[in-house]
Amino acid sequence: MSTTASTAAEAGASDRAGASRRSGTFYRGDPGMWSWVLHRITGVLTFFFLFVHVLDTALVRVSPNAYDEVIETYKSPVVNLLEVALVGAVLYHALNGLRVILVDFWSKGPKYQRPMLWGIVGIWVVVMIPGTYFMLERTVSELFGGGH
Amino acid sequence: MADSTSALALDKPRSPRRPAARRNNFELYSWVFMRISGLALVVLVLGHLFIMNILDGGVHRINFAFVAGRWSSPFWQFWDLSMLWLAQLHGGNGLRTIIDDYARKDNTRFWLKMLLYVAMAVILVLGTLVVFTFDPDIPAS
């Protein structure tokens, strides 16, 4: 059972012959479907990261040096870039999750599911631009500006 | 959910051989839990990511001393413990749904779920122990 595919509600009998994408009765290939696909992918990736992250944090029980050594890898340029991807994935999952809750519980949620999707995409971009800047500022200046 | 003996052989909705759709309300509660824990996690996780990755130099200022400073406060201990449990149960439940959706054989589904539940238990026990037994004066190496 796909608990997050709530936007399917709008689709009704989706695979009916003659149902058109434009009239909003066709779920497959609709932005609503892709928002659900992306929700699953970002959720799974975050879960796998969480597994690794609890293990690396557990090194504080081994020794400060062991922990510091592993945390150094988080500061390397490539992993730093992956952190931007992680924050982007979690932020999308959070915003889309709020949208799913509104579709489920707000009486006008299903009607506005599509404008809400463009809304969260907008918020995502607006947050990620300064977010990426602050996350990569030091790495970029060390790589290209000689560092300080 | 309903067991499919041969691949993708689904009975019609009201066919008599179909097992009762609901034996209990577990799926309802897990659906509600996803939404409630999701709301809490929006605050907990986005706050965590903001503090750890963006604020004040982000990841570059994190080391053992930084962790020791944060976990000297019960507030952040409680924050991290709640985040650990809610995220693990929320993510675990999400993966359970995904396994149910895509694993076609009962056997595959069973073992994937066992793997998931063992991983969840390991992470929950380990994470909880680390938060509660953290020792800032542990020898350096």
Side-chain angles (χ1 to χ4, degrees):
Chain A
M1 49 201 306
S2 28
T3 47
T4 46
S6 334
T7 47
E10 198 198 50
S14 61
D15 274 345
R16 220 166 353 104
S20 77
R21 252 165 233 232
R22 197 158 297 175
S23 66
T25 56
F26 203 82
Y27 178 68
R28 198 192 294 173
D30 186 86
M33 186 199 87
W34 293 113
S35 75
W36 168 81
V37 169
L38 210 53
H39 200 78
R40 292 205 146 179
I41 294 173
T42 53
V44 171
L45 289 179
T46 307
F47 185 80
F48 288 156
F49 169 74
L50 180 60
F51 183 84
V52 177
H53 183 47
V54 171
L55 292 183
D56 68 57
T57 305
L59 288 173
V60 295
R61 291 297 292 124
V62 177
S63 78
N65 286 350
Y67 180 76
D68 287 350
E69 255 174 59
V70 168
I71 285 302
E72 277 309 306
T73 62
Y74 277 86
K75 304 172 189 177
S76 70
V78 174
V79 182
N80 206 204
L81 208 57
L82 290 176
E83 280 149 27
V84 176
L86 175 75
V87 169
V90 171
L91 182 62
Y92 171 79
H93 196 87
L95 292 170
N96 192 241
L98 293 174
R99 172 174 162 265
V100 167
I101 291 175
L102 285 171
V103 169
D104 286 342
F105 292 109
W106 178 36
S107 58
K108 294 194 176 128
K111 188 181 165 196
Y112 291 115
Q113 64 88 7
R114 196 187 302 250
M116 284 197 292
L117 177 57
W118 303 134
I120 67 161
V121 169
I123 296 171
W124 189 89
V125 170
V126 166
V127 174
M128 283 308 284
I129 289 172
T132 306
Y133 173 80
F134 286 117
M135 275 185 277
L136 294 182
E137 190 186 14
R138 179 151 158 184
T139 298
V140 169
S141 75
E142 277 173 5
L143 275 181
F144 303 109
H148 40 252
Chain B
M1 292 293 304
D3 44 349
S4 52
T5 39
S6 58
L8 289 179
L10 296 175
D11 293 328
K12 288 215 156 56
R14 280 173 209 84
S15 76
R17 280 183 55 244
R18 198 170 192 244
R22 289 226 231 170
R23 282 178 213 89
N24 56 48
N25 282 334
F26 177 77
E27 293 298 339
L28 170 67
Y29 297 137
S30 82
W31 183 91
V32 172
F33 172 78
M34 288 309 260
R35 274 132 191 93
I36 294 172
S37 61
L39 280 178
L41 283 166
V42 167
V43 177
L44 292 171
V45 174
L46 292 185
H48 178 78
L49 287 176
F50 180 70
I51 294 166
M52 295 300 184
N53 289 281
I54 295 177
L55 199 67
D56 195 25
V59 74
H60 296 282
R61 73 202 196 291
I62 298 178
N63 55 25
F64 183 85
F66 185 83
V67 176
R70 281 173 65 78
W71 278 350
S72 65
S73 147
F75 177 81
W76 293 115
Q77 279 185 313
F78 179 72
W79 182 296
D80 288 351
L81 195 70
S82 326
M83 191 164 57
L84 171 76
W85 278 81
L86 289 176
Q88 201 54 224
L89 293 175
H90 184 101
N93 194 231
L95 249 81
R96 184 183 64 87
T97 304
I98 288 177
I99 292 170
D100 276 337
D101 276 357
Y102 299 119
R104 293 190 169 184
K105 294 184 195 151
D106 284 347
N107 216 2
T108 318
R109 194 178 296 127
F110 174 80
W111 287 111
L112 281 176
K113 280 190 193 172
M114 284 303 126
L115 183 66
L116 171 67
Y117 297 152
V118 169
M120 285 171 70
V122 167
I123 292 302
L124 283 173
V125 170
L126 181 69
T128 305
L129 270 176
V130 167
V131 172
F132 277 121
T133 68
F134 177 72
D135 172 15
D137 301 319
I138 192 171
S141 58

